[in-house]
Amino acid sequence: ATPFLSSFCFCHLHIARAALLTGRLPIRNGFYTTNAHARNAYTPQEIVGGIPDSEQLLPELLKKAGYVSKIVGKWHLGHRPQFHPLKHGFDEWFGSPNCHFGPYDNKARPNIPVYRDWEMVGRYYEEFPINLKTGEANLTQIYLQEALDFIKRQARHHPFFLYWAVDATHAPVYASKPFLGTSQRGRYGDAVREIDDSIGKILELLQDLHVADNTFVFFTSDNGAALISAPEQGGSNGPFLCGKQTTFEGGMREPALAWWPGHVTAGQVSHQLGSIMDLFTTSLALAGLTPPSDRAIDGLNLLPTLLQGRLMDRPIFYYRGDTLMAATLGQHKAHFWTWTNSWENFRQGIDFCPGQNVSGVTTHNLEDHTKLPLIFHLGRDPGERFPLSFASAEYQEALSRITSVVQQHQEALVPAQPQLNVCNWAVMNWAPPGCEKLGKCLTPPESIPKKCLWSH
């Protein structure tokens, strides 16, 4: 029988969301910016762009195999009408186009709407309150119920794809009352415990409905911990260097769990180098589909790894905007450019690497290493603290292998039009569909497109 698909994903940065749903690097799918050295790449309310119509998203392709798809939680691939998830393959949506930043002053900047399918049903901090002082909010419980209801409706009738994109661990962190104060890790730990409990309830339902052995579940994050929000509102990256918004291991490496009773052996650990883009190709393989042949697909099918324990040698490319910052091949990672954030931002207290200063590596000027990349052996040095000696045989051999792979990648690369370069306050969430019924429509200001230079 065709396996049902459930894909569980939590957290924040949208470039990973675009990569997951297209199987393609952001520079190929357009979800990047070339502004300010790509200091950031996310979609605030004033962003004009979104996921292009030319991209084929996972739920669109799964329809060919009869799948019904739902997104619960954060979309973050564009909030204007043409970017709505139901126009890009999803059949149902409960959640938000953006993250729960706020609360805002509605006269100057509207709160983020929450949608059910095509229409908003309220806004964060209003119909969906989040107490910034205590961290209390019921959103994770609401998102859990949406997931459970969807599974109950679909499990006996259709193969389904559930994309559960909760955001409780994104600052401002929140949890519901029964979980607040229950963790030794503060509010962040409370949020993680509630997500963990929710996943447990979802897995329990799959077992109760007797579809567990026909359901593939994958749980991961979209980036490393946001150390700028830690410890109270951010996680830990353990031994890895820096955090979210950098291309060091602390910003890019995250844990992942695969669950498929009777197929994925419980308790095994794989050292396969994976990417969130692999979920695209792996999901298609589970549904008996092949990826589109008319475009470059960066994701690999991980089923040989998950089911047979095979290891595949493959490169991973780390971009900021249109700049290839680093690449990993096997145990070696080469940095062609280093940069955490500008001295100006750093002196304002924006620190993606608190307590971690590696001379010549965690730089606050954009440093060019393209002629002599900094190369680390991640097995011996996962913290990227000791670059290999340029004169060593190991450096020369690793450089030769990585250079060949990067040249091949760059020669074939056709960058898409960047979608995140233009901002305009007039396109913010002033009057989303359904606002009339709720009396929630706001008047947008004059349209003045400008270059996006936001700070996150």
Side-chain angles (χ1 to χ4, degrees), residues 395-411:
Y395 179 91
Q396 295 299 328
E397 191 273 336
L399 178 63
S400 174
R401 288 176 65 236
I402 292 173
T403 299
S404 172
V405 166
V406 167
Q407 281 180 346
Q408 189 177 357
H409 165 70
Q410 290 181 325
E411 284 169 6

Side-chain angles (χ1 to χ4, degrees), residues 124-298:
Y124 284 140
Y125 301 98
E126 297 170 32
E127 290 75 16
F128 298 91
I130 302 169
N131 188 316
L132 289 175
K133 288 185 179 176
T134 65
E136 183 179 349
N138 286 326
L139 278 166
T140 300
Q141 291 302 310
I142 294 170
Y143 291 152
L144 169 61
Q145 200 56 52
E146 288 291 325
L148 297 177
D149 290 347
F150 176 71
I151 293 169
K152 286 175 189 173
R153 282 187 285 113
Q154 302 302 333
R156 299 196 188 282
H157 307 291
H158 303 281
F160 65 87
F161 168 56
L162 171 65
Y163 176 38
W164 200 63
V166 295
D167 63 359
T169 52
H170 188 300
V173 169
Y174 61 80
S176 62
K177 197 165 188 177
F179 290 90
L180 281 177
T182 65
S183 164
Q184 295 181 32
R185 191 58 170 69
R187 195 182 294 178
Y188 180 84
D190 299 342
V192 171
R193 292 196 72 210
E194 184 167 16
I195 290 171
D196 181 56
D197 181 80
S198 299
I199 294 292
K201 287 184 169 65
I202 290 171
L203 299 184
E204 187 176 41
L205 176 63
L206 294 171
Q207 290 166 326
D208 290 346
L209 294 173
H210 306 292
V211 296
D213 62 351
N214 214 24
T215 304
F216 176 76
V217 178
F218 201 92
F219 179 88
T220 187
S221 178
D222 53 357
N223 46 251
L227 299 185
I228 192 171
S229 306
E232 180 65 18
Q233 301 211 38
S236 165
N237 293 318
F240 304 117
L241 185 62
C242 298
K244 175 186 173 184
Q245 305 204 41
T246 75
T247 51
F248 300 112
E249 290 298 279
M252 292 292 178
R253 192 188 291 215
E254 65 267 343
L257 297 167
W259 184 89
W260 189 8
H263 300 272
V264 175
T265 305
Q268 69 174 326
V269 175
S270 174
H271 295 281
Q272 173 65 44
L273 184 61
S275 158
I276 209 162
M277 294 179 291
D278 298 340
L279 293 179
F280 174 88
T281 311
T282 304
S283 297
L284 291 177
L286 281 162
L289 300 170
T290 54
S293 58
D294 64 342
R295 63 199 63 206
I297 300 293
D298 297 293

Side-chain angles (χ1 to χ4, degrees), residues 43-99:
T43 52
Q45 288 195 74
E46 59 265 37
I47 202 84
V48 172
I51 195 70
D53 279 343
S54 56
E55 291 299 312
Q56 291 189 297
L57 273 59
L58 180 58
E60 294 178 72
L61 296 168
L62 288 174
K63 281 187 187 300
K64 297 174 184 176
Y67 280 74
V68 176
S69 301
K70 178 162 185 163
I71 172 174
V72 176
K74 189 168 70 171
W75 167 240
H76 225 180
L77 296 185
H79 61 270
R80 296 167 69 206
Q82 64 266 42
F83 306 125
H84 193 289
L86 269 60
K87 288 191 176 180
H88 292 271
F90 284 101
D91 300 291
E92 299 181 21
W93 180 28
F94 183 89
S96 165
N98 301 77
C99 203

